[in-house]
Amino acid sequence: MVLLICGMIFLYGLVVLFVIVFEGCVVFVKDLSVPEVVKRVLSELGYDSLYPPQSDAVEAGVLDGGNLVLAIPTASGKTLIAELCMVKSVLNGGKAVYLVPLRALASEKFEDFAKWEGLGIRVGLSTGDFDSSGSELGRFDILVCTNEKADSLLRHHADWISKISVIVADEVHLINSVDRGPTLEVVLARLRQVNPSAQIIALSATISNGHQLAEWLGAKLVLSDWRPVILKEGVFYNEVISYSDGSSHIVPLIDPEFSICLSIDTIKGRGQALIFDSTRRNAVSIARRLSSILSSYLNKGERRALNGVAQEILRGGEVTQISKQLASCIEGGVAFHHAGLNYGQRKIVEEHFKKNLIKVVCATPTLAAGVNLPARRVVIRNYRRYDSNFGYRLIPVLEYKQMAGRAGRPKYDIEGEAVLIAKSAGEENLLREMYIEGAPETIESKLASESFLRTQVLATIASGYASDRVGIMNFLGKTFYAYQFGSDFIEIILEGILTFLFSEGMIESRENVLVATLFGKRVSELYIDPMSAVLIRDGLKLKAEQTTDVGYLHLISSTPNMPRLYLGRKDYKELGFFADEHKFELRANPPNEYDDPSDYEWFLSELKMTYLLERWINEVLEDQIISQFNVGSGDILRFVETADWLLYATYEIAKLLKIKEELPYIQRLRLRLNYGVKDELLELVKLAGVGRIRGRRLFDAGLKTIHDLATVEVEELSKIPTIGKELAKKIKKQVRDITENNTDTDAPILTNGQTSLTDFK
Ligand SMILES: Nc1ncnc2c1ncn2[C@@H]1O[C@H](COP(=O)(O)OP(=O)(O)OP(=O)(O)O)[C@@H](O)[C@H]1O
Ligand SMILES: [Mg+2]
C-alpha cells in the first residue's frame, strides 16, 4: 500500500513537472529574485519550483514591484505570489497589508503566514474593534485584516498606513458582491490615494473582465486556466457521473438522496467529500442521515477519536439542540457547517475534517471562499437559491467554480472532482453547458447605493481626504464603479447625500470648505451608518417615559446597521403584544398599524430583534432562543456583537451630547449584553471561566459576590454543578488576587468589540 502511494506521488510529480516544462515557463525557487533566506524557507517547505501561472506572475515583474491582477483558477497558488512580494518588501523595510473578505479566511491566512516569523517578520491579525486608532498595529510587518477593518483604520488615520508598501486584495472578484464589494472597492481606492507608490496585488478567481480590473488598478494581468491538481467536473444522473473529459463513473444507489450515494462512494475510495447545499436546514438533515449510514465504514480507532471530538463540541459552550445534533453527526464521521454554528464549533469541524477524521462535511456556501480543505469530491446539491426579492434564482457560474474549487487542493489530493446533480437528461445537459462549460460572469461594481455612499462621503470629509465637492468626486471618480460606468450617477446621488449630512449637522461649510462637525467626525470614526447615528441621537434626545432595556435595545435594533429578522405568521400577534407592553419605553414613535402597514411591519421586525436581545440579557437559554427565533448560536453571537457595537456608539453619542445621566445605564446594559446575564450576575462573570450558566449556578447556590466566593472552601465550590475541582481552584485564585490587590471593580471591564458569550473561554 505504502509503495503504491509513493509510486502515485512520484508519478504525480512527474506529471506536474512534465506539464510545467511543457508549458515552457518553469521558474525554480533557487532562481527567484528574493533574499536567500526566503528561498530557504520555501525549500524547507518542499517548494522547488513555481507553478506556471505563478511563473507568469514573476515574468510580469511582480517581484520587481509591479502591480498585478492574478485571475487564475482555484488552488493555483495565488497566495504564494502575494507572500513573496510581501516578504521581499518587508525585508527591505516595507510593510504589507493582506485584505480578505471574511474573518475565517483572515485567520487561515494569518496561521499560514506564521512560516515567515522565523525571518523576524511580525505577522498580525486584526478583524474587530472598529473604533480603534489602530496605532498598535503599526508594530506588525504584515497585517492580515478584513476589508471592513481596513476601512475603519483608514478613517482613524493611523500613521503607519502611509508606510504600507504592498497591498494585497484577496478574493477581489467579490467587488461584484452587494454586501462586500463596495467596501473593498473603496478601501482599494483609498489606500491608493494615501499610498500612490504602494504595490497592488489583486488575487481573483477566473473572471471574464480581469482586464478591466487590471486597467483600473494600473496593473498587469495574468490569466491562466492551469490548475496544479486536476479537477474533473461532472454531472450525476441515473447512477452515473459523466465527466466533461468524456469519462464516467457508476455510483451505486444505496439511498434515495444522491448526495449521500456520492459521499459514500468517495469514502469507499478512501477520499473525503464536501456537500454544498444552499440552506442550513438541508445541510443539517443530510448530515444527520448520512451519519447513520457512514458510521459503519469507520474503524474502532476512528470511532473513539470521533467520540472525543463530539465531546469537545458539547463542552465548548451551552449545550443546544444544534450542538447536540452536531456532536451526534460527528460520532458518525459527518459534520454540518453553516453560519448558525458558533466560531468554536466551525473551527472544530474544519480542524478534524483536515485531519481526515470527519469524512464528510455538509456545508452552506459560506465555506466556499478561499479555504484549503481535503475534499476529493465536492457535491453541489442545488444550483438554485431562494432570494426574498426575486424568488428562486440560478447561482452564478463564479460561485459554482468557487464551490467546485474546494476539491483537489495540492496539499491534500492528487485529483479532485466536482459533481452537480441532475434529475433528468435535459437538466444534465443544461448543467453541463451552463456551469461546466460556461464562462464565469463579468464582475460589476455595486458601489452606487445611497446608504453605502452616505457613509463613505462622510468618511471622506471627516478624515480630511477631501474638502469640497470636486475633491469628493475626484476620489469617487477613482473607484471601480466610475471606471466601469462613469461618474454621472454618483454625482446625482452625492447631491442628496450632502444635503442629508448638512441638515443632520454632520458637516458644515466654512468659507467654501467642507468640514465635519464634531458629531460627524465621531460618527465616521464609530463606523456606523450616518442614518443610524441620526436615529440614535434623536432617540437619546426624545427621552422615553422610563429608561429601560427594551427602550435601548429597540433603539439600536431600529438602525440600518442591525440585521432584520424575518417575520413568521405567528410573530405578528406575539410582537403586537410585546409592542403594547413596552410602548412607553420606546425611544421612537411607532408607526400606526392601519395608516402605515408596511412601516408597521418593518417596526415589528425591529421588535423581533429587540425581543431576541431582551431574552438573551435575561438569561434565557441559548437553546430556547434558537428554537423561538429560528436562528443558530452563530447568529446570536453576530447579533450580540453588532448590538454591542451599536450600544458602544450610543454611549459615545450620549457622551458627545452631554446626556451624562444615561451613561451608566448604557454601560451596564452593554456588559449584560456581552455576557448575556441579568444585572445581578455582573460581578461574578468577571471571573475567567464563569459565564452566564456557571454564574447563575453560583448565584443560586448563594455565592452572589466576590466576597461570598472568598469565604467558601474549594471543596464546597467544586461540588456546584458545572464547576468541578479545576475551575474551583482557578476561581479561588482569581478571587484572592482581586481581594488581596484590591482590584475589585463594579463590573467586568470591556474593550470595544470584545464579547464573552460562553463559559468556555
Ligand atoms: N509552487 C508551489 N509548489 C507547491 N505547492 C504550492 C505551490 N504554490 C502553492 N502551493 C500550495 O497550493 C495550495 C493552494 O494554494 P492557494 O491557497 O494559494 O490557492 P488559491 O489560488 O488562492 O486558491 P483559491 O482561489 O481557492 O483561494 C496551498 O496548499 C499551497 O501551499
Ligand atoms: Mg486563495
Side-chain angles (χ1 to χ4, degrees):
M1 189 67 190
V2 175
L3 269 178
L4 186 72
I5 292 174
C6 289
M8 278 171 72
I9 291 175
F10 179 70
L11 258 177
Y12 169 69
L14 275 184
V15 171
V16 171
L17 198 68
F18 173 77
V19 174
I20 289 173
V21 173
F22 185 71
E23 294 256 332
C25 55
V26 60
V27 171
F28 290 98
V29 166
K30 65 178 173 45
D31 300 326
L32 286 174
S33 74
V34 293
E36 286 304 316
V37 280
V38 177
K39 297 180 195 174
R40 203 173 328 127
V41 171
L42 292 181
S43 305
E44 279 165 15
L45 290 168
Y47 294 65
D48 302 322
S49 55
L50 295 190
Y51 292 152
Q54 293 173 330
S55 304
D56 291 347
V58 170
E59 310 259 299
V62 76
L63 288 178
D64 306 318
N67 291 350
L68 183 76
V69 171
L70 196 55
I72 57 179
T74 52
S76 56
K78 293 182 274 293
T79 324
L80 182 66
I81 287 298
E83 284 178 88
L84 288 175
C85 296
M86 293 194 295
V87 168
K88 184 173 179 183
S89 175
V90 166
L91 292 176
N92 275 328
K95 194 180 256 309
V97 278
Y98 191 99
L99 304 167
V100 289
L102 301 167
R103 281 194 204 186
L105 196 54
S107 52
E108 184 175 295
K109 294 301 169 198
F110 171 66
E111 285 160 25
D112 208 18
F113 298 166
K115 59 175 169 283
W116 302 111
E117 289 184 338
L119 304 186
I121 293 176
R122 288 154 300 183
V123 183
L125 171 71
S126 183
T127 56
D129 192 356
F130 292 134
D131 185 29
S132 137
S133 72
S135 53
E136 74 290 353
L137 300 173
R139 68 183 190 278
F140 297 116
D141 302 307
I142 296 179
L143 181 69
V144 182
C145 63
T146 53
N147 300 320
E148 283 71 22
K149 178 68 196 186
D151 189 12
S152 81
L153 288 172
L154 280 161
R155 294 181 192 196
H156 283 275
H157 267 305
D159 56 354
W160 54 267
I161 290 179
S162 59
K163 300 196 183 100
I164 294 171
S165 50
V166 180
I167 301 160
V168 181
D170 199 358
E171 309 281 327
V172 80
H173 53 271
L174 286 176
I175 277 189
N176 200 40
S177 135
V178 178
D179 303 328
R180 305 189 180 275
T183 308
L184 168 58
E185 192 177 323
V186 161
V187 164
L188 280 177
R190 182 82 75 214
L191 278 168
R192 291 179 70 202
Q193 183 187 15
V194 179
N195 291 342
S197 62
Q199 179 184 23
I200 301 217
I201 300 163
L203 311 178
S204 168
T206 321
I207 46 173
S208 306
N209 57 340
H211 61 282
Q212 288 195 335
L213 261 185
E215 196 177 356
W216 172 54
L217 292 172
K220 286 202 176 154
L221 173 67
V222 167
L223 296 172
S224 166
D225 52 12
W226 189 91
R227 211 177 180 276
V229 172
I230 296 164
L231 181 68
K232 286 173 75 166
E233 294 173 73
V235 184
F236 176 73
Y237 170 59
N238 228 356
E239 283 187 66
V240 179
I241 309 175
S242 308
Y243 298 102
S244 55
D245 63 4
S247 63
S248 60
H249 173 74
I250 296 176
V251 177
L253 287 187
I254 56 157
D255 192 273
E257 170 54 47
F258 298 143
S259 65
I260 290 186
C261 308
L262 288 160
S263 304
I264 295 291
D265 182 61
T266 317
I267 305 302
K268 282 187 184 161
R270 301 196 161 274
Q272 289 173 266
L274 178 58
I275 302 173
F276 279 112
D277 192 283
S278 57
T279 71
R280 293 180 187 182
R281 194 191 316 178
N282 286 347
V284 174
S285 76
I286 294 164
R288 292 179 72 182
R289 187 171 166 138
L290 179 56
S291 162
S292 61
I293 302 172
L294 199 146
S295 61
S296 61
Y297 291 84
L298 302 170
N299 64 37
K300 234 177 168 176
E302 286 174 330
R303 273 204 207 112
R304 202 175 320 113
L306 284 164
N307 197 283
V309 181
Q311 295 308 317
E312 203 183 327
I313 292 278
L314 293 175
R315 278 198 311 269
E318 277 184 55
V319 175
T320 63
Q321 208 56 34
I322 299 178
S323 67
K324 279 196 269 186
Q325 281 175 349
L326 182 60
S328 133
C329 285
I330 287 178
E331 285 190 39
V334 184
F336 50 87
H337 188 293
H338 56 62
L341 299 187
N342 66 34
Y343 184 70
Q345 293 166 337
R346 276 188 261 171
K347 264 273 190 233
I348 294 174
V349 170
E350 288 163 28
E351 183 189 329
H352 294 283
F353 188 50
K354 285 180 183 172
K355 286 185 184 157
N356 191 12
L357 204 50
I358 292 173
K359 307 290 177 193
V360 182
V361 171
C362 304
T364 53
T366 42
L367 203 59
V371 287
N372 278 296
L373 294 170
R376 184 172 305 164
R377 181 177 283 162
V378 162
V379 180
I380 292 116
R381 195 173 168 273
N382 42 23
Y383 57 96
R384 289 193 191 95
R385 171 145 345 109
Y386 187 73
D387 180 310
S388 52
N389 295 322
F390 302 100
Y392 280 97
R393 305 188 85 186
L394 302 181
I395 58 168
V397 178
L398 194 61
E399 195 175 320
Y400 157 77
K401 296 282 179 200
Q402 284 300 303
M403 290 192 266
R406 292 319 104 205
R409 308 291 294 191
K411 213 157 133 189
Y412 299 104
D413 269 306
I414 54 169
E415 187 176 293
E417 56 178 78
V419 182
L420 286 148
I421 298 174
K423 292 184 191 69
S424 67
E427 194 178 21
E428 184 185 359
N429 283 334
L430 178 92
L431 291 179
R432 173 163 309 107
E433 278 166 25
M434 207 162 56
Y435 289 112
I436 301 180
E437 289 156 12
E441 295 75 10
T442 51
I443 57 165
E444 276 184 11
S445 168
K446 303 291 189 290
L447 183 80
S449 98
E450 184 162 346
S451 77
F452 180 78
L453 283 177
R454 199 163 49 215
T455 310
Q456 287 302 338
V457 168
L458 177 62
T460 305
I461 300 168
S463 305
Y465 291 118
S467 55
D468 54 21
R469 280 180 172 74
V470 177
I472 298 170
M473 276 317 296
N474 253 345
F475 169 65
L476 293 174
K478 293 199 181 81
T479 57
F480 190 51
Y481 182 90
Y483 168 85
Q484 282 193 306
F485 306 110
S487 304
D488 294 354
F489 186 55
I490 300 186
E491 205 155 358
I492 296 170
I493 303 182
L494 178 64
E495 270 322 301
I497 291 172
L498 288 176
T499 309
F500 171 85
L501 295 176
F502 270 119
S503 67
E504 295 299 347
M506 293 194 200
I507 56 170
E508 55 195 23
S509 176
R510 288 189 208 142
E511 291 164 16
N512 283 337
V513 173
L514 292 178
V515 285
T517 58
L518 264 184
F519 178 49
K521 190 159 172 47
R522 200 65 195 108
V523 170
S524 172
E525 287 169 351
L526 289 167
Y527 204 65
I528 55 174
D529 186 329
M531 189 65 96
S532 298
V534 167
L535 289 167
I536 291 173
R537 178 198 62 195
D538 295 350
L540 279 165
K541 283 188 178 165
L542 187 78
K543 287 216 170 126
E545 290 188 16
Q546 303 156 270
T547 290
T548 65
D549 308 340
V550 167
Y552 273 117
L553 295 177
H554 173 256
L555 179 61
I556 56 170
S557 300
S558 68
T559 66
N561 282 111
M562 197 73 196
R564 298 263 163 267
L565 288 171
Y566 287 108
L567 295 175
R569 230 176 329 136
K570 69 175 177 28
D571 284 329
Y572 287 83
K573 203 166 155 195
E574 199 175 341
L575 291 169
F577 287 138
F578 188 77
D580 270 352
E581 198 183 326
H582 296 282
K583 63 178 169 225
F584 297 117
E585 301 164 40
L586 302 184
R587 288 171 176 271
N589 296 322
N592 185 293
E593 183 178 356
Y594 304 101
D595 297 345
D596 309 304
S598 68
D599 283 2
Y600 187 75
E601 198 163 312
W602 193 253
F603 165 68
L604 288 188
S605 81
E606 295 164 6
L607 274 188
K608 190 169 178 181
M609 180 60 84
T610 310
Y611 193 21
L612 183 151
L613 296 170
E614 188 266 346
R615 303 278 74 201
W616 169 254
I617 60 167
N618 283 305
E619 294 174 42
V620 171
L621 290 178
E622 217 173 292
D623 204 25
Q624 260 170 272
I625 299 180
I626 288 172
S627 49
Q628 185 178 350
F629 294 91
N630 193 21
V631 293
S633 309
D635 301 309
I636 300 176
L637 185 98
R638 262 191 313 283
F639 299 153
V640 167
E641 272 182 2
T642 308
D644 175 57
W645 164 41
L646 289 165
L647 268 186
Y648 171 74
T650 308
Y651 182 91
E652 291 296 308
I653 293 173
K655 226 162 66 180
L656 202 72
L657 298 176
K658 303 210 173 4
I659 308 182
K660 290 199 187 113
E661 63 285 6
E662 294 288 316
L663 295 178
Y665 194 94
I666 303 172
Q667 178 67 348
R668 277 187 94 74
L669 184 57
R670 224 190 122 204
L671 289 163
R672 289 183 55 198
L673 191 69
N674 265 270
Y675 290 88
V677 292
K678 293 183 184 161
D679 209 66
E680 63 201 24
L681 285 198
L682 281 179
E683 186 168 340
L684 295 176
V685 290
K686 77 173 122 182
L687 298 165
V690 179
R692 62 199 308 247
I693 301 293
R694 292 193 182 116
R696 179 50 56 195
R697 298 273 186 169
L698 292 173
F699 194 92
D700 289 349
L703 302 168
K704 302 181 179 180
T705 61
I706 295 290
H707 177 74
D708 295 339
L709 285 167
T711 51
V712 70
E713 293 298 322
V714 171
E715 197 62 31
E716 201 183 322
L717 186 57
S718 67
K719 285 195 195 121
I720 294 171
T722 72
I723 300 292
K725 195 121 194 174
E726 278 305 299
L727 185 59
K729 281 195 218 153
K730 218 169 115 186
I731 291 176
K732 286 296 284 182
K733 180 170 180 322
Q734 295 178 69
V735 169
R736 260 196 317 276
D737 287 350
I738 294 173
T739 44
E740 281 167 19
N741 303 328
N742 206 13
T743 53
D744 202 3
T745 49
D746 281 354
I749 292 159
L750 274 181
T751 343
N752 182 33
Q754 168 201 317
T755 47
S756 160
L757 290 183
T758 68
D759 289 59
F760 223 74
K761 274 254 138 184

